[in-house]
Amino acid sequence: MTRLEFPRGFLWGAATAAHQVEGGNANSDCWALEHARPSLFAEPSGDAADHYHRFEADVALVAELGLGAYRFSIEWARIEPESGCFSQGALDHYRRVIDSCLVHGLTPVVTFHHFTQPRWLARMGGMGAVDFPERFARYCDRAVRALEGIAFACTINELNLPVLAARYFHARATPEQRAAAERALGARLSAFFLFADEDAILGNGLSAHAQARTAIRATRPDLPVGMTLAISEETAEPGAEDIRNERRERYYAPFLDAAARDEFVGVQTYSRVMSRPAGEAGPASGRPVTMMGWEDRPEAIGEVCRWVASRWRVPMLVTENGYPGDDDTRRADFIKAAVEGVGAAIADGADVRGYFYWSLLDNFEWLFGYRQRFGIVEVDRTTQQRTTKPSARALQTLARAARRDADG
Ligand code: BGC
């Protein structure tokens, strides 16, 4: 690749999230929804990649791939199985995951809320519950006290996603699925994070982030705290520039304004959205699409880094970027092009401090189940055997070359 100047200390990593890989997250709202009949979910998460029991080998694999960081999430439904009742066993488990990262020389980047919540919280309305911010801050406080080695704290994953993708998620739910989901939750569907109401996100969600940041800083003033955001590259056909600008102001700006008070923001970009004069926004026409139906567009992440840097001063970590599909050759090319785009954005002044590929493992892709594969490591769900894909080696080569150039 062209020589790109990644700063010394730039984090090269891979990411996962608890519910998508651990397996057996039976006390979560998501598990209840997966087992509702009829379900919104294509299939239940079940044992997932059994990461809860296999984390040591998986963490060792991240290190073996020549990466320097591992982003994962801790599960609120395990740590606080009933309101106010904290599980030392669950906290000890996550302490062992962090220790394992440290033993392997990996920087642990920890997300406290990655979509799933305890069932008791869902019954109270999830993010819409009156005291959600206080409850979330209390959980973060307990976790950060117990988990000393965390190097970066991501409070809430993609806080803006339920606003950005509301129309999409709601259109997928049939009245029968919605009714079954609400019976399973014992609450309105908006209690589940992905279906949360916009006012709950902008009110309780942003306030929970701020209160969690205060709680975390009280114990660990040295720990960088941020949230992660789903940000698409936003482009417009001629005549649709206002629509694109409105999307930016509604879906991203309020969150980036809040993030500007943090030590970093996690940028998570998969593709681009084209606004059209007729009002609809979607994949650009006539372009190749991925298994998820998104435009195959590795350039999107670099463009998003540039756009964020053009308006906000907050340092960025690319906490997710990835390619869904079975064509691993394309995935390797996608990673190369994406990383080059990030490198070029940095060369032009964007303050980006890390790149985490999503995902380390083929895993549970929420409503879609296991068919959508993002991993650089394949998982055989019968034997749980891991097989490193060539794309993992492509990422390793890029990381190695970038580190060598930074050191030399
Ligand atoms: C989420 C991940 C998800 C990925 C791919 C992000 O929205 O943080 O949990 O698997 O995108 O859809």
Side-chain angles (χ1 to χ4, degrees):
M1 76 168 184
T2 21
R3 195 171 190 279
L4 291 170
E5 309 282 340
F6 284 90
R8 191 184 283 252
F10 189 87
L11 294 174
W12 293 94
T16 63
H19 189 80
Q20 294 176 270
V21 291
E22 285 183 345
N25 191 20
N27 193 40
S28 67
D29 50 4
C30 196
W31 182 281
L33 294 177
E34 291 159 25
H35 292 274
R37 288 294 169 265
S39 176
L40 290 160
F41 287 75
E43 57 186 317
S45 53
D47 283 341
D50 196 26
H51 183 66
Y52 199 79
H53 301 106
R54 294 167 197 261
F55 72 86
E56 270 172 344
D58 290 338
V59 168
L61 184 55
V62 178
E64 193 265 316
L65 290 175
L67 302 175
Y70 179 42
R71 172 176 179 241
F72 61 96
S73 74
I74 58 175
E75 182 54 59
W76 191 354
R78 295 188 196 272
I79 293 176
E80 191 178 355
E82 291 297 340
S83 172
C85 158
F86 290 86
S87 162
Q88 192 56 46
L91 289 167
D92 286 346
H93 168 82
Y94 290 116
R95 195 179 37 71
R96 287 192 292 274
V97 180
I98 290 168
D99 287 349
S100 174
C101 290
L102 298 176
V103 164
H104 285 94
L106 300 175
T107 300
V109 176
V110 175
T111 307
F112 288 67
H113 180 294
H114 195 123
F115 298 176
T116 47
Q117 303 177 138
R119 287 190 193 207
W120 59 261
L121 183 68
R123 285 194 293 273
M124 299 171 69
M127 201 163 265
V130 241
D131 51 0
F132 179 86
E134 291 73 23
R135 289 180 183 277
F136 181 62
R138 179 175 67 170
Y139 149 69
C140 291
D141 169 61
R142 290 297 278 255
V144 83
R145 282 171 197 271
L147 307 174
E148 284 171 17
I150 299 176
F152 288 84
C154 305
T155 56
I156 302 175
N157 181 67
E158 297 189 341
L159 179 58
N160 65 327
L161 182 66
V163 185
L164 173 66
R167 224 187 287 165
Y168 171 79
F169 285 132
H170 284 281
R172 287 186 62 89
T174 65
E176 294 74 24
Q177 289 169 335
R178 182 179 290 273
E182 297 193 334
R183 278 196 303 276
L185 289 177
R188 288 182 51 222
L189 185 53
S190 57
F192 181 54
F193 175 75
L194 292 178
F195 289 83
D197 295 329
E198 186 164 357
D199 56 357
I201 297 288
L202 289 169
N204 275 354
L206 283 172
S207 157
H209 167 70
Q211 292 197 31
R213 183 183 56 206
T214 304
I216 293 168
R217 282 182 183 158
T219 302
R220 287 278 313 275
D222 60 310
L223 177 58
V225 182
M227 65 176 123
T228 75
L229 297 173
I231 311 183
S232 299
E233 179 190 357
E234 294 284 344
T235 50
E237 286 180 359
E241 292 80 1
D242 288 350
I243 298 174
R244 178 203 56 203
N245 295 345
E246 278 162 25
R247 288 178 55 87
R248 284 178 165 162
E249 294 316 306
R250 178 169 178 198
Y251 299 140
Y252 314 121
F255 301 91
L256 286 158
D257 287 346
R261 289 186 280 278
D262 298 339
E263 280 76 32
F264 72 95
V265 63
V267 172
Q268 309 196 158
T269 299
Y270 287 86
S271 186
R272 87 168 149 178
V273 169
M274 183 71 78
S275 290
R276 301 197 170 80
E280 255 326 293
S285 20
R287 305 270 313 153
V289 292
T290 64
M291 198 182 235
M292 291 290 284
W294 306 330
E295 182 187 347
D296 177 349
R297 178 137 170 110
E299 299 85 352
I301 182 61
E303 293 305 323
V304 167
C305 291
R306 283 171 199 276
W307 175 68
V308 173
S310 73
R311 260 179 77 175
W312 291 274
R313 295 273 71 85
V314 60
M316 290 173 256
L317 287 180
V318 174
T319 37
E320 287 184 27
N321 173 246
Y323 175 86
D326 293 330
D327 181 352
D328 193 62
T329 306
R330 177 59 199 150
R331 184 177 354 267
D333 290 344
F334 182 98
I335 294 174
K336 269 186 232 142
V339 164
E340 285 182 7
V342 173
I346 294 173
D348 289 342
D351 184 0
V352 188
R353 303 188 179 178
Y355 175 90
F356 290 73
Y357 180 78
W358 180 274
S359 177
L360 174 67
L361 305 171
D362 284 337
N363 63 39
F364 182 69
E365 181 52 31
W366 306 112
L367 304 184
F368 302 96
Y370 289 99
R371 179 69 194 94
Q372 306 292 332
R373 301 205 177 87
F374 286 78
I376 48 175
V377 175
E378 183 185 326
V379 177
D380 179 323
R381 294 205 50 257
T382 311
T383 61
Q384 293 293 356
Q385 193 180 324
R386 275 60 168 152
T387 308
T388 301
K389 302 182 193 176
S391 55
R393 299 297 168 198
L395 179 60
Q396 174 173 25
T397 305
L398 289 163
R400 192 190 288 140
R403 260 198 301 256
R404 194 192 45 226
D405 291 350
D407 291 343

